[in-house]
Amino acid sequence: MEEEKKMPEKLQVEEKVIEMLKTVYDPEIPVNVYDLGLIYKIDLADDYALSVDMTLTAPNCPAADFIVEDVRQKLESIEQVRSVEVNLVFEPEWDKDMMTEEAKMELGFL
């Protein structure tokens, strides 16, 4: 019974994680990191430890530290999340096909 109660709550927390990621922007691009396709993995453990794998549009992105720290701070602000680990990865390499349709339209790719 306890497990059944936990699953909807965990799903709600995962939805909050996505909502929060949609508030993080690369200062040079008017689209959030989630819709840009920069978030590769969101892993919320049963103890509410959160691990996120993300990339950047370019490995030498001048705003890298700012973006990663913004992601970390915003995810840490979610009440139920116990801890946050943000992993910066570059495999697979990001390309514009990873963006949502909305992001492609916003940036004029459609």
Side-chain angles (χ1 to χ4, degrees):
M1 196 67 160
E2 185 65 33
E3 194 61 38
E4 286 178 26
K5 207 170 102 179
K6 199 170 192 172
M7 285 317 288
E9 185 181 317
K10 190 172 175 189
L11 193 60
Q12 288 173 336
V13 173
E14 287 172 349
E15 288 171 359
K16 284 183 187 174
V17 167
I18 292 170
E19 285 174 33
M20 201 56 79
L21 288 169
K22 288 185 174 190
T23 69
V24 177
Y25 288 80
D26 179 322
E28 298 175 350
I29 304 171
V31 176
N32 68 70
V33 295
Y34 189 83
D35 288 337
L36 275 173
L38 299 179
I39 305 300
Y40 285 172
K41 185 179 88 177
I42 298 169
D43 184 21
L44 184 62
D46 287 339
D47 66 353
Y48 291 90
L50 178 63
S51 176
V52 174
D53 287 359
M54 67 173 292
T55 193
L56 301 167
T57 55
N60 58 352
C61 174
D65 292 342
F66 169 81
I67 296 168
V68 171
E69 193 53 35
D70 199 23
V71 166
R72 180 180 290 106
Q73 286 179 1
K74 287 185 174 171
L75 294 178
E76 284 176 345
S77 76
I78 300 170
E79 189 178 328
Q80 297 89 334
V81 172
R82 187 177 59 79
S83 63
V84 176
E85 180 182 0
V86 180
N87 304 303
L88 199 53
V89 297
F90 294 100
E91 296 287 326
E93 190 175 331
W94 179 87
D95 71 47
K96 66 181 189 288
D97 292 335
M98 296 172 170
M99 292 189 284
T100 63
E101 295 296 308
E102 294 87 353
K104 289 177 184 175
M105 285 197 329
E106 177 80 26
L107 297 174
F109 291 122
L110 288 181

